[in-house]
Amino acid sequence: MRKMKLVMVGNGMAGCRALEELLKHAPDLYEITVFGAEPHGNYNRILLSPVLAGEMTLPEIMLNDLDWYRDHGITLHAGKRVVAIDRHRRLVRAEDGIEVGYDRLLLATGSNPFILPVPGKELPGVITYRDIADTEAMIEAARVHRHAVVIGGGLLGLEAANGLKLRGMEVTVVHLMDWLMERQLDRNAADMLKASLEERGLRFLLQKQTAELVRGESGRVCAVRFVDGETIPADLVVMAAGIRPNIDLARAAGLHCDRGIVVNDTMQTFDPRIYAVGECVQHRGVAYGLVAPLFEQARVCANHLAQFGIGRYAGSVISTKLKVTGIDLFSAGEFMGGEGTEEILLSDRQGGVYKKLVLKDDRLVGAVLYGDTVDGSWYFQLMRDTQNIGDLRDHLMFGQSFVSSHLGDAGHKGQTQAASMPDTAEVCGCNGVCKGDIVRAIQEKKLFTLDEVRTHTKASASCGSCTGLVETILAATAGGDYSTAPSRKPLCGCTQHTHDEVRAAITEQQLKTMPAVMQALEWKTSDGCNKCRPALNYYLLCAWPAEYADDAQSRYINERAHGNIQKDGSFSGVPRMFGGLCTPAELRAIADVAEKFRVPEMKVTGGQRIDLFGVKKEALPAMWKDLSEAGFVSGHAYGKALR
């Protein structure tokens, strides 16, 4: 029997969640082809901020690697953008000319970052913050530049600012509105957030309108000028001023579009063969930008693609539970209040806690929590259930555990917050996972660890703000069999030992080769991986400098080649200039090398060195040979080396 052909345009979180749900329901119904504009598998965009901050790596945020597509028989065209949809012939055409026919088409084209329409927006050094390429560009810029300006004081802008600050840049956040995150926080919570971030070294300019991005002598952006005439230096400008649904492809194909691609409750567009999910979609007049409603859309879409025909998407009640640079925030509903509402407030600025509950007709209709968000899920459930909270009113601010223990049936029964939650209570807003889903997975699949729960339910697998609650549910359900999340982090997946334990074993057990370490510590793999081999090589070299022979192939490529790899595959080299001092002869030597090897770009770095960009990998050994003859050594500005 011929399989129907399903083509998906877009390879992001919403679209791939729809495929995952479809494969659960009808794994053999379709021959699936996916086009993604980025040269990667599906990754967690929510975790780009920890990557920028240096807390995670790109492999750690992958949701579906390339093996996943192959294992499920999915044809992935990574790095290929679809440029046209022929609805009459039912096919899509990519920019390289590839054409693929479809019986069903799923559009998951996401959104585009909003670019301020100001002079200089096209200058080098002006970027957005939406994908891996943007993140890598910011990391590279932080290596060589000093001043960063982030335009936009929403969540994304603050995460970008924090990451760049941790990378060593001086960061100014420019925001048009009166206070930060005005869509998620009221003024009091925003003021506390701003004060906390200023203590960490961030600078803020509020109620500032950008007039121009100024070009420097090198052709790169060098400053930001405002409408009021003030100018501040900027080697890097990050646009984080919002997103717009990506509807160009759908509109060109004649589909009905407004702000987004208009869909009905079954996630179908004007053309019943074409479905759409994610940030590109407009449903009942609303376009959603948070991942939880997008995953709800994905489940409904998969239900209809599987030909079950019973799912309906009626819109989403939105809550935001976020971790902004390590500060817990929660907001939901009508948190700004208004006519007919009343507010209950708790403000402890010294303790870093602020809570605001908004009531209307004995119903909780909105909440803002800053610093202490443990009861966010409970408050959100009260809002969604429109529960009468008249009997709880005087105790509501003290949280679910207090209400349960003091009021019995007036609250939810149980001794703990987890036990008192109904099965329908949403625990993980990012992935739309309810308590009942987690409990069933724990009981049916005999799960005992947080990682196992994440793997089977995806709860706590995105932003991580619900991790504590998931662990509480796990402990309550698994009882004495519950295994807490390890406080000790293994060096990598090849071993259960930490960095400190490996280093101690090398010296205490007199281990002087990599095979000896792996054998003694019962490595799970025979040859290690790209995380543990560089670490072992370094630890062995430090422990036995006279006896261990450095394994150059276990060093990172940047160290091995003495160059930073660039996005186009070329490298940059940084000759050491101690204290920024050099002689005319040394300057001439650098110039001679640049001419000899046709270096296309040279920059003075923030570390008082000259960076040579665009060098081909095969030219690096000869280039360093010439530089060494002139007295230069490598600047070791390559990320994993000691300075």
Side-chain angles (χ1 to χ4, degrees), residues 87-104:
R87 290 169 52 205
H88 177 68
R89 296 167 58 201
R90 293 207 299 275
L91 59 81
V92 300
R93 183 181 307 110
E95 56 190 350
D96 62 355
I98 291 178
E99 293 186 342
V100 178
Y102 67 83
D103 296 296
R104 296 291 184 272

Side-chain angles (χ1 to χ4, degrees), residues 514-528:
M514 278 198 204
V517 174
M518 293 178 180
Q519 182 177 356
L521 300 182
E522 298 179 338
W523 235 245
K524 299 176 184 178
T525 56
S526 60
D527 202 33

Side-chain angles (χ1 to χ4, degrees), residues 502 505-518 520 536-537 539-541 543-551:
V502 171
I506 288 173
T507 55
E508 292 170 4
Q509 300 182 37
Q510 299 276 307
L511 305 174
K512 298 183 179 180
T513 66
M514 278 198 204
V517 174
M518 293 178 180
L536 292 180
N537 185 57
Y539 294 153
L540 286 164
L541 195 59
W544 315 110
E547 301 170 63
Y548 175 73
D550 179 27
D551 181 9

Side-chain angles (χ1 to χ4, degrees), residues 192-331:
M192 293 178 69
L193 174 63
K194 177 173 175 285
S196 296
L197 296 178
E198 285 175 333
E199 290 177 1
R200 301 180 186 197
L202 296 178
R203 179 179 178 229
F204 295 92
L205 295 177
L206 303 181
Q207 294 181 281
K208 280 284 190 179
Q209 184 173 352
T210 303
E212 179 187 5
L213 306 181
V214 182
R215 180 192 299 269
E217 293 182 1
S218 66
R220 182 185 178 89
V221 66
C222 71
V224 176
R225 182 172 295 124
F226 302 106
V227 171
D228 61 9
E230 182 181 357
T231 300
I232 60 174
D235 308 307
L236 173 70
V237 175
V238 180
M239 297 272 193
I243 57 175
R244 301 289 184 272
N246 184 2
I247 62 175
D248 293 344
L249 182 66
R251 176 171 284 161
L255 296 176
H256 178 38
C257 297
D258 188 14
R259 287 189 302 125
I261 304 171
V262 177
V263 296
N264 60 20
D265 289 356
T266 65
M267 306 314 296
Q268 286 173 300
T269 67
F270 173 79
D271 184 333
R273 292 180 181 271
I274 302 179
Y275 293 74
V277 295
E279 293 178 338
C280 61
V281 160
Q282 179 178 329
H283 173 265
R284 298 189 183 183
V286 180
Y288 296 95
L290 297 175
V291 72
L294 309 188
F295 283 174
E296 289 182 41
Q297 295 174 3
R299 283 192 290 272
V300 171
C301 180
N303 183 284
H304 287 272
L305 286 173
Q307 300 183 340
F308 290 173
I310 56 175
R312 290 292 183 275
Y313 178 66
S316 299
V317 179
I318 297 299
S319 71
T320 305
K321 189 173 184 179
L322 306 166
K323 230 178 178 41
V324 180
T325 64
I327 301 168
D328 290 324
L329 303 171
F330 173 89
S331 69

Side-chain angles (χ1 to χ4, degrees), residues 117-129:
V118 296
K121 65 181 185 297
E122 73 292 337
L123 289 175
V126 180
I127 63 175
T128 57
Y129 187 24

Side-chain angles (χ1 to χ4, degrees), residues 152-154 173-177 179-182 205-208:
V173 178
V174 176
H175 195 48
L176 183 63
M177 308 306 290
W179 67 84
L180 302 174
M181 292 184 66
E182 71 281 351
L205 295 177
L206 303 181
Q207 294 181 281
K208 280 284 190 179

Side-chain angles (χ1 to χ4, degrees), residues 23-145:
L23 291 170
K24 290 179 188 176
H25 300 318
D28 300 317
L29 186 59
Y30 291 99
E31 176 185 316
I32 303 174
T33 301
V34 176
F35 286 88
E38 294 184 74
H40 311 283
N42 173 36
Y43 61 91
N44 190 337
R45 292 181 187 274
I46 299 171
L47 297 181
L48 284 174
S49 297
V51 173
L52 176 61
E55 299 164 358
M56 300 184 73
T57 63
L58 291 177
E60 291 175 323
I61 70 170
M62 296 303 299
L63 296 173
N64 303 102
D65 59 18
L66 299 181
D67 290 341
W68 179 83
Y69 298 87
R70 185 186 63 247
D71 293 344
H72 290 87
I74 299 171
T75 301
L76 172 63
H77 294 287
K80 293 186 179 180
R81 189 181 305 274
V82 171
V83 295
I85 300 171
D86 188 330
R87 290 169 52 205
H88 177 68
R89 296 167 58 201
R90 293 207 299 275
L91 59 81
V92 300
R93 183 181 307 110
E95 56 190 350
D96 62 355
I98 291 178
E99 293 186 342
V100 178
Y102 67 83
D103 296 296
R104 296 291 184 272
L105 176 63
L106 175 57
L107 298 179
T109 51
S111 60
N112 294 321
F114 176 67
I115 307 295
L116 292 181
V118 296
K121 65 181 185 297
E122 73 292 337
L123 289 175
V126 180
I127 63 175
T128 57
Y129 187 24
R130 289 293 293 164
D131 55 27
I132 286 177
D134 294 333
T135 305
E136 291 177 332
M138 281 192 274
I139 292 172
E140 180 60 31
R143 289 194 180 106
V144 296
H145 296 293

Side-chain angles (χ1 to χ4, degrees), residues 426-447:
E426 185 176 75
V427 174
C428 178
C430 293
N431 296 291
V433 183
C434 296
K435 177 195 169 185
D437 301 327
I438 298 173
V439 171
R440 281 191 296 274
I442 294 169
Q443 294 172 337
E444 295 173 4
K445 300 182 184 296
K446 302 187 185 306
L447 309 181

